[in-house]
Amino acid sequence: MSFIGGIKVTADEFYTCWSKYDKDGNGFIEAGELDALLKDMVTRSGKEVNPEVLDEARSYYMGLLDENGDGKLDVNELAKLLVPEENFLLKFRVNEKLSSVDFMHIWRKYDSDKNGYIDKGELTNFLHDLLTRDESERVVSVQKLEEYQKHILNRYDTNNDGRLEIKELVGLLPLQENFLARFEGLEGLTASDFDDIFDHYDQDKSGSIEGAELEGLMKDCLARQKVEANYAELKENVKSILEAIDINRDGKLQKDELKMLFSKNK
Ligand SMILES: [Ca+2]
Ligand SMILES: [Ca+2]
Ligand SMILES: [Ca+2]
Ligand SMILES: [Ca+2]
């Protein structure tokens, strides 16, 4: 008889499941908690739940998951069954400050409901990835994650609203020096300065600046004027820039369009 295994989940789903099964919160799924998990797995495998099938499921899953053979599952053992998705932060170099474009990619990934803030559940996803980025095989306990979340909010949630906005997250993910700061005035750019700027923000070399690239550019433009925008303001700025200079109306800035941004901003 075959059962399903290796189910891919987001970090958020993983921790929701973990808290669901580890009811007493002692860091192990055991006894009755384990029965509830096995029942769900039998159902998900499309089989009828009866004592015989449950016994088979128990030996199948415990053989697969219970590495140290103590008859209960810890968080790392469960992660072999419910496999958290690939760590998004691995796409970015460790120990190096982020460009504003990389920062906006991270922001857009973890602000998953797009409300302009990293709320608590989103912060859990982010912290899971941050804590496991050096050891992709490892997952962290819910207790540790909560502890870390409190610590992060204490330290970086400067307006105490229980969530992080862009300038608060920058405290945690330091940025490189503003790429635009190296140019004295943006109106007197040489052709090669301009190419450097376009190449820097067109990170994926698609021939246009779009999405996180455009938000990163906007963030740097505003920072140059000493404006620390929140995400809503950033999007508002992107929108008005596109209205003004996105001549072919594709929602992206091609090179000739970007030129207008710098000739306008005198
Ligand atoms: Ca959010
Ligand atoms: Ca806040
Ligand atoms: Ca691009
Ligand atoms: Ca365009």
Side-chain angles (χ1 to χ4, degrees):
M1 187 172 285
S2 62
F3 296 97
I4 50 169
I7 303 161
K8 296 249 187 304
V9 293
T10 65
D12 200 26
E13 288 163 345
F14 179 82
Y15 285 105
T16 305
C17 283
W18 176 262
S19 330
K20 175 181 163 197
Y21 295 116
D22 180 22
K23 269 215 169 76
D24 62 4
N26 72 344
F28 295 100
I29 297 175
E30 61 204 321
E33 295 167 350
L34 190 57
D35 290 345
L37 171 66
L38 291 172
K39 266 183 204 156
D40 286 355
M41 294 317 296
V42 167
T43 308
R44 280 191 77 154
S45 303
K47 296 178 206 308
E48 201 193 323
V49 180
N50 63 44
E52 199 180 312
V53 177
L54 272 181
D55 276 348
E56 277 182 58
R58 182 183 309 273
S59 50
Y60 173 80
Y61 283 115
M62 294 315 270
L64 186 72
L65 307 174
D66 185 17
E67 217 160 68
N68 59 6
D70 63 357
K72 47 192 188 181
L73 298 180
D74 66 27
V75 75
N76 279 291
E77 290 168 341
L78 184 71
K80 287 186 282 176
L81 178 62
L82 302 173
V83 186
E85 70 185 345
E86 195 200 347
N87 190 332
F88 182 74
L89 293 181
L90 290 175
K91 292 187 174 54
F92 303 93
R93 280 188 218 148
V94 197
N95 299 331
E96 226 174 81
K97 291 188 171 174
L98 294 168
S99 72
S100 55
V101 174
D102 285 341
F103 180 88
M104 291 316 305
H105 276 299
I106 292 175
W107 176 268
R108 288 161 71 111
K109 160 80 179 172
Y110 293 100
D111 177 21
S112 44
D113 66 357
K114 308 274 170 262
N115 72 345
Y117 300 93
I118 306 289
D119 308 279
K120 278 189 180 150
E122 294 165 347
L123 187 57
T124 304
N125 272 335
F126 173 72
L127 292 178
H128 164 270
D129 285 359
L130 196 65
L131 290 170
T132 58
R133 67 171 297 157
D134 297 325
E135 296 172 68
S136 53
E137 295 294 298
R138 180 174 151 259
V139 286
V140 287
S141 71
V142 178
Q143 287 87 341
K144 193 164 171 217
L145 212 54
E146 270 172 18
E147 220 172 86
Y148 202 59
Q149 188 189 84
K150 275 187 199 139
H151 169 76
I152 292 293
L153 284 176
N154 258 335
R155 177 142 178 212
Y156 297 103
D157 175 21
T158 44
N159 66 355
N160 291 316
D161 65 351
R163 57 194 188 178
L164 297 179
E165 54 193 271
I166 285 185
K167 64 177 173 215
E168 293 169 339
L169 187 66
V170 170
L172 188 59
L173 295 175
L175 292 174
Q176 290 167 6
E177 190 199 4
N178 187 337
F179 188 79
L180 298 177
R182 70 190 69 188
F183 306 103
E184 242 173 58
L186 293 178
E187 59 276 7
L189 292 174
T190 66
S192 107
D193 287 346
F194 178 77
D195 285 345
D196 286 350
I197 291 178
F198 190 84
D199 290 345
H200 175 80
Y201 291 99
D202 181 19
Q203 197 188 55
D204 64 357
K205 307 294 170 233
S206 66
S208 51
I209 295 174
E210 68 258 293
E213 298 170 346
L214 190 49
E215 289 172 2
L217 170 65
M218 227 40 255
K219 185 179 184 318
D220 287 347
C221 284
L222 291 168
R224 211 171 181 279
Q225 304 160 35
K226 310 263 177 278
V227 178
E228 282 191 275
N230 64 29
Y231 192 56
E233 291 160 347
L234 199 58
K235 281 207 299 198
E236 208 41 55
N237 270 279
V238 166
K239 201 172 140 215
S240 25
I241 288 295
L242 285 174
E243 268 162 21
I245 63 174
D246 177 20
I247 304 301
N248 67 358
R249 296 280 165 235
D250 64 352
K252 314 169 183 184
L253 292 185
Q254 282 77 26
K255 221 169 195 177
D256 53 331
E257 295 169 342
L258 185 68
K259 274 203 178 106
M260 297 170 59
L261 177 64
F262 291 127
S263 57
K264 251 181 77 198
N265 264 9
K266 290 213 163 125

